[in-house]
Amino acid sequence: MLLLHPPLTKPCEPPAALAYLAGALQSHNIPCTLCDMNIEGLEYICVSSEPAEDTWSKRAFKNIARNLEALQKKQTYQNSDRYKRAVADVNRILELAGKKFNLQLSLSNYQDNEASPLNSKDLLKIAENFEYNIFYPYFKIRLEQLLQQSRSEYIGFSLNYLSQSLCTFAMIGYLKMHHPRVKVIVGGGLATTWLSHPGWDNPFSHLIDHFIGGRGEVPLIKLLGHGARNISSKLDYAPLRQNNYLAPGFILPYTSSYGCFWKKCNFCPETSEDSVYEHNPPATTVADLHSLCKKTKPALIHLLDNAISPSTLRALAGEKFTAPWYGFARFDNLLADKTFCSQLKESGCTMLKLGLESGDQLVLDQMNKGIDLHLASQVLTNLQEVGIKTYIYLLFGTPAEDRNAALRTMEFIEKHHQAVNFLNLAIFNLPIHSEQTATLEVSDFYEGDLSIYQNFIHPKGWNRGEIRRFLDQVFKKSPQIGPILLNDPPFFTSNHAPFLVTK
Ligand code: SF4
């Protein structure tokens, strides 16, 4: 089996899905070959691009090797200006290379000005015209090598983000043209979302032989004709470790659960897609992490859970890992206990990502977020006092919000600004199958047949244009909030944030 991670995702850590699938296949004695075509493809662009004329671009081209190397050194992250300059210069190369293909290409996104990943017709066209893809000179050679190496008729694509969609289809188009006998399997988060559309009518049946929704290990093993025994979380990062990820050491991605144990927030696809929740026994998570740390000597552990469960947090708090760790948690009673927060810090917790969404209690209640603002305030104070950094997620424009509620969010952040190290601001999108569509005036307009969100008329007239103006002219101008926003690592955001706050 050949397993591929297509461009484009942030090139800072190995793709966990490939490592999990490889571990499961190997435990069933099914040989597999893995390739992170994202990092390889981006490297290809960095080395093959032609210099441009302006001063910034000339500097970026001259220093590309030095900047890539700098982003793999810890010291670079100790100096925020040096770090930001290296990132901006590397990104400049991608930006210029992308322009020649009418793309908005960056270290975190792949956007085609003429084709949308939300439109199946566009994806089909990209598959037909694969030779116009920016990565074509790289993937036409690399796919041949990988096919030779793996000698398998099955090729799996891990498709998790919209930014991967167009390149995935270009590669599939190439394979179907040159190797019509190969069987193409597509799984991952984005594939799962497509399959969860009630009206899903596969427009790609001549290109994709099998889709796999949800957790892929068992269906993949069965599809390959083997009986799936129990799937333990045996990860295999060995084949991916030689890649030159842009991080100061190996980042170990690990998930202790699939889905979300809360699954009630009515703006979240986890709720509308009613994803299954599965949870490793906390003792297994702890044992796995110790053993993986021993094997891979990571610079950082990245817990990928949508929300780390309280039982797992309790288990982690009693340990001492050899690498710092971070991940998403909920504002939970556990974190309102300062002693517990100290234990988490002792275990290696360097940063928590927390979805606060709003600083208005009514808005939080309406979105079923399950957050009490007094508790959130206590949690933030505790985390600050014990030295755990925070990456706070805010969501503006939910149906219950108006400008006054947004101002209360701003006041909440201003009041707690010393406890908030990083901020992510987002504007609400209505998931296409959310229960809220029944109570809102939904407009017919959609971007494409694969769109996962739907337009709606905001019941309080708090529309996207006004929200954007509010964020730009009011929220971001706050003297307490502005500096927090400047902390955000460009393109890499939370993936690099722990390195910028760890001395
Ligand atoms: S806690 Fe997070 S992942 Fe879970 S339902 Fe809410 S927003 Fe979604």
Side-chain angles (χ1 to χ4, degrees):
M1 169 96 214
L2 173 58
L3 291 169
L4 307 174
H5 176 75
L8 198 141
T9 59
K10 297 173 196 173
C12 54
E13 63 187 48
L18 261 53
Y20 273 99
L21 290 167
L25 292 179
Q26 279 155 16
S27 69
H28 286 72
N29 298 319
I30 306 171
C32 68
T33 304
L34 313 184
C35 183
D36 182 347
M37 298 190 82
N38 176 57
I39 183 79
E40 289 189 2
L42 289 173
E43 275 178 343
Y44 151 76
I45 291 188
C46 285
V47 298
S48 64
S49 293
E50 289 156 20
E53 286 311 306
D54 65 288
T55 319
W56 179 17
S57 307
K58 276 190 202 153
R59 186 187 78 198
F61 279 100
K62 190 169 138 239
N63 295 333
I64 182 68
R66 205 188 315 157
N67 283 327
L68 291 172
E69 211 182 298
L71 290 172
Q72 295 177 322
K73 286 189 182 145
K74 213 171 162 189
Q75 304 88 287
T76 308
Y77 294 74
Q78 313 285 324
N79 177 337
S80 155
D81 289 343
R82 171 79 188 97
Y83 164 80
K84 285 186 179 167
R85 186 147 30 92
V87 171
D89 282 7
V90 172
N91 192 69
R92 179 71 176 162
I93 308 272
L94 301 182
E95 189 191 331
L96 291 171
K99 267 190 187 156
K100 294 182 188 155
F101 287 78
N102 206 6
L103 300 173
Q104 293 173 49
L105 194 68
S106 73
L107 283 160
S108 60
N109 205 6
Y110 180 106
Q111 213 174 313
D112 190 323
N113 292 330
E114 285 171 22
S116 164
L118 300 174
N119 191 326
S120 61
K121 287 201 179 89
D122 286 1
L123 292 175
L124 292 169
K125 219 188 294 166
I126 292 284
E128 234 172 81
N129 299 297
F130 56 81
E131 68 271 30
Y132 296 110
N133 183 274
I134 190 168
F135 295 105
Y136 173 64
Y138 153 72
F139 73 64
K140 72 171 178 185
I141 295 171
R142 189 61 171 130
L143 284 174
E144 293 303 328
Q145 289 171 346
L146 290 163
L147 284 167
Q148 274 274 325
Q149 195 183 327
S150 79
R151 303 200 169 278
S152 170
E153 60 178 314
Y154 287 97
I155 303 191
F157 285 87
S158 172
L159 175 57
N160 290 291
Y161 303 103
L162 285 174
S163 57
Q164 292 178 292
S165 222
L166 296 163
C167 295
T168 302
F169 275 80
M171 290 185 193
I172 293 175
Y174 173 86
L175 287 168
K176 286 289 171 178
M177 165 74 86
H178 293 283
H179 301 276
R181 291 219 184 122
V182 298
K183 298 260 180 289
V184 171
I185 306 170
V186 174
L190 185 60
T192 304
T193 299
W194 288 347
L195 296 176
S196 76
H197 282 210
W200 169 248
D201 184 13
N202 184 6
F204 309 122
S205 49
H206 65 293
L207 288 175
I208 296 171
D209 299 277
H210 303 279
F211 269 110
I212 292 181
R215 196 174 169 182
E217 290 98 316
V218 173
L220 183 60
I221 289 166
K222 285 189 177 160
L223 200 152
L224 297 175
H226 294 247
R229 297 187 295 272
N230 260 353
I231 301 294
S232 57
S233 53
K234 287 282 168 278
L235 279 152
D236 185 8
Y237 281 113
L240 299 166
R241 290 214 50 196
Q242 80 279 8
N243 288 322
N244 294 316
Y245 293 109
L246 299 186
F250 179 69
I251 299 180
L252 168 63
Y254 181 88
T255 187
S256 76
S257 64
Y258 295 82
C260 171
F261 72 89
W262 176 254
K263 206 169 66 172
K264 290 184 189 158
C265 306
N266 55 18
F267 60 87
C268 177
E270 284 298 322
T271 310
S272 55
E273 288 171 17
D274 195 17
S275 316
V276 178
Y277 181 61
E278 288 175 50
H279 182 203
N280 291 350
T284 305
T285 293
V286 165
D288 278 351
L289 287 176
H290 281 306
S291 124
L292 286 162
C293 280
K294 217 167 156 191
K295 253 196 238 165
T296 65
K297 312 234 169 338
L300 182 68
I301 301 167
H302 179 188
L303 294 177
L304 303 166
D305 308 52
N306 282 314
I308 306 168
S309 73
S311 59
T312 301
L313 278 179
R314 262 192 225 104
L316 297 176
E319 299 297 316
K320 191 147 185 57
F321 295 101
T322 51
W325 62 269
Y326 81 105
F328 257 115
R330 284 180 46 79
F331 280 101
D332 188 272
N333 278 323
L334 264 185
L335 301 175
D337 174 353
K338 192 170 155 193
T339 311
F340 181 77
C341 293
S342 297
Q343 289 166 350
L344 270 190
K345 173 74 183 165
E346 284 297 301
S347 77
C349 178
T350 185
M351 184 179 95
L352 286 179
K353 300 199 278 181
L354 296 148
L356 176 66
E357 323 302 354
S358 172
D360 182 279
Q361 192 61 56
L362 194 74
V363 171
L364 286 170
D365 296 345
Q366 293 285 319
M367 62 170 89
N368 269 339
K369 187 69 200 176
I371 290 180
D372 174 89
L373 281 175
H374 297 293
L375 179 97
S377 177
Q378 184 61 53
V379 168
L380 286 172
T381 307
N382 287 349
L383 295 176
Q384 186 201 354
E385 286 179 5
V386 304
I388 295 177
K389 308 298 179 191
T390 60
Y391 204 115
I392 302 295
Y393 289 70
L394 298 178
L395 184 61
F396 293 89
T398 53
E401 192 185 67
D402 57 15
R403 187 183 166 88
N404 285 335
L407 281 167
R408 281 190 281 280
T409 301
M410 181 168 140
E411 279 162 28
F412 185 91
I413 299 296
E414 286 176 337
K415 188 167 162 209
H416 298 88
H417 72 278
Q418 286 176 321
V420 177
N421 302 91
F422 302 95
L423 270 175
N424 177 287
L425 313 180
I427 301 185
F428 173 70
N429 284 310
L430 178 66
I432 209 155
H433 304 303
S434 155
E435 281 180 10
Q436 288 179 297
T437 51
T439 55
L440 293 166
E441 202 180 323
V442 177
S443 72
D444 285 341
F445 172 77
Y446 61 93
E447 284 182 72
D449 55 333
L450 302 175
S451 182
I452 48 178
Y453 298 111
Q454 201 162 1
N455 273 359
F456 71 103
I457 312 286
H458 197 284
K460 301 185 177 185
W462 182 227
N463 57 47
R464 299 178 87 83
E466 267 187 72
I467 297 168
R468 281 204 190 94
R469 271 193 295 284
F470 166 78
L471 291 177
D472 289 341
Q473 294 168 9
V474 184
F475 190 86
K476 293 180 184 174
K477 293 271 159 62
S478 156
Q480 284 88 23
I481 293 174
I484 301 176
L485 293 166
L486 286 178
N487 290 340
D488 206 35
F491 305 106
F492 289 97
T493 66
S494 62
N495 298 69
H496 274 175
F499 295 121
L500 294 168
V501 292
T502 311
K503 295 290 169 217

